[in-house]
């Protein structure tokens, strides 16, 4: 281990994160009753400019009146480059009571963006005597944000999670796609020509590097990495495959832009009973190895060693959080 200890953000379940436009208050109760872990009430891109003020009022009312139970509730504010943002923060924090848990910062570009919001939120919390500290979730969805993702991650003790905003990211790097997280037919590998043999074309994941880079920055700073939206909500198989890729790479959850995607995310980001049982067996085998004075042993014909303990412990801890035996 390094002598530097990575402090972890508060542990919260973040398998599914449902987007709910602030301009559609009829959806608030439905979101509260859904199985999502986190709800983000949106003031940004799902809300048209002429609806921004009303959406803010809707959210303030919902935070006072809707029973969100144990769900984590977040507010996606407008970008720091708009004239809406300061009122999003001031009005909702001053008038929305104590229920809000998190603020989601879209298009986070530099550490200074986070610093500015930390300053504003700290002043309001102090002035209003708010007891529950607001945490921050940052969306990494621009080239600038990806370039500065390490500094952004470390910019405030309020930081809890990083989110990959695939559509805005695609626009920012001028990727040739209009999709929202779906695979791209041009991003693949044609196998080499070998005589008369038929050549195969393998689709790849064009967002692998971006998501992986974000995961590293998040984990190095004790934050939760969360994958963003999958736009085609009539394609559950496509969503599940994207979610599984993200889970395999280290993400803790994925956005749901439609209620049908919640169950898919919860399923993919909960470890299966078989995975948990395997992790427990690894821990037992390593416990025995320790007694026998060995650092590496074989289990089911595969190497396990001290690193396996940490992987297995992560799995068991997650299972315990979710109540899986
Ligand atoms: N939260 C809670 N409930 C939702 C919901 C949401 N985000 N989206 C849809 N529902 C409800 C609908 O009201 C409907 O309820 P009902 O069965 O009681 O009538 C049910 O789920 C099925 O919805 P459906 O009719 O298929 O969808 P829609 O046409 O009303 O809306 C979208 C589709 C995509 C416009 C809508 O899901 C939405 O706005 N999603 C969030 C998008 C967003 O915020 N994007 C920004 C981040 S990328
Ligand atoms: Mg966006």
């Amino acid at each position: 281990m390094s002598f530097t200890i990575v402090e972890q953000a508060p542990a919260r379940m973040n398998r599914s994160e449902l987007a709910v436009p602030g301009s559609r208050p009829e959806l608030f109760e439905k979101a509260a009753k859904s199985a999502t872990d986190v709800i983000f009430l949106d003031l940004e891109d799902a809300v048209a400019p002429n609806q921004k003020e009303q959406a803010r009022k809707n959210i303030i009312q919902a935070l006072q009146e809707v029973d969100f139970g144990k769900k984590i509730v977040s507010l996606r504010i407008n970008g720091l480059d708009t004239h809406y943002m300061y009122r999003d923060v001031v009005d909702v924090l001053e008038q929305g009571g104590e229920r809000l848990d998190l603020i989601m910062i879209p298009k986070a570009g530099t550490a200074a963006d986070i610093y500015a919001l930390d300053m504003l939120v700290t002043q309001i919390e102090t002035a209003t005597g708010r007891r529950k500290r607001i945490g921050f979730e940052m969306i990494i969805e621009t080239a600038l944000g990806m370039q500065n993702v390490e500094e952004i991650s470390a910019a405030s003790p309020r930081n809890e999670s990083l989110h990959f905003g695939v559509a805005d990211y695609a626009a920012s790097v001028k990727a040739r796609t209009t999709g929202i997280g779906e695979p791209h037919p041009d991003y693949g590998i044609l196998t080499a020509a070998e005589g008369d043999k038929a050549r195969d074309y393998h689709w790849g994941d064009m967002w692998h590097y971006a998501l992986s880079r974000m995961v590293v920055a998040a984990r190095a700073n004790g934050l939760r990495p969360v994958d963003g939206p999958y736009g085609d909500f009539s394609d559950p198989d496509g969503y599940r495959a994207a979610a599984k890729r993200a889970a395999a790479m280290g993400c803790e959850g994925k956005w749901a832009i439609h209620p049908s995607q919640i169950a898919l995310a919860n399923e993919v980001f909960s470890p299966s009973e078989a995975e948990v049982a395997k992790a427990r067996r690894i821990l037992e085998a390593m416990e025995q190895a320790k007694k026998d004075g060995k650092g590496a042993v074989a289990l089911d014909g595969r190497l396990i060693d001290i690193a396996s303990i940490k992987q297995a412990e992560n799995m068991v801890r997650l299972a315990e959080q979710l109540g899986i035996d």
Side-chain angles (χ1 to χ4, degrees), residues 15-199:
R15 297 168 303 172
S16 46
E17 182 145 351
L18 179 66
V20 185
S23 49
R24 293 188 64 189
E26 75 279 10
L27 300 184
F28 296 169
E29 289 278 355
K30 296 181 194 181
K33 291 198 174 75
S34 75
T36 193
D37 290 337
V38 184
I39 295 172
F40 81 78
L41 301 168
D42 192 14
L43 286 172
E44 200 220 9
D45 282 354
V47 178
N50 63 358
Q51 299 281 309
K52 299 277 188 198
E53 275 190 39
Q54 186 56 48
R56 212 184 272 141
K57 289 184 186 145
N58 296 341
I59 289 176
I60 289 169
Q61 190 177 354
L63 289 170
Q64 286 164 346
E65 293 174 8
V66 174
D67 179 6
F68 288 104
K70 289 190 177 146
K71 292 199 177 356
I72 314 292
V73 182
S74 184
L75 171 74
R76 182 162 80 168
I77 57 175
N78 284 285
L80 279 85
D81 59 329
T82 71
H83 64 278
Y84 304 113
M85 188 228 83
Y86 80 102
R87 280 219 169 280
D88 292 345
V89 179
V90 174
D91 286 5
V92 176
L93 286 193
E94 284 189 349
Q95 299 166 37
E98 291 259 336
R99 183 59 186 84
L100 192 70
D101 299 295
L102 304 170
I103 286 179
M104 176 180 263
I105 305 168
K107 302 179 182 77
T110 67
D113 288 345
I114 316 307
Y115 186 86
L117 269 159
D118 195 353
M119 181 271 293
L120 183 56
V121 169
T122 301
Q123 289 199 23
I124 302 169
E125 281 182 347
T126 310
T128 57
R130 202 172 206 281
R131 288 181 300 277
K132 190 165 80 179
R133 185 173 81 160
I134 292 285
F136 287 165
E137 338 187 72
M138 279 74 59
I139 316 182
I140 304 300
E141 52 184 342
T142 60
L144 183 65
M146 193 59 82
Q147 175 175 274
N148 295 321
V149 66
E150 290 88 3
E151 290 87 343
I152 289 171
S153 300
S156 166
R158 295 181 188 274
N159 289 357
E160 292 203 10
S161 55
L162 296 184
H163 302 251
F164 182 52
V166 63
D168 275 302
Y169 187 77
S172 176
V173 299
K174 295 195 165 41
R176 285 175 48 185
T177 177
T178 50
I180 304 185
E182 301 94 352
H184 194 305
D186 288 350
Y187 197 85
I189 289 180
L190 184 65
T191 56
E194 285 182 294
D196 291 342
K197 269 210 235 156
R199 298 170 73 178

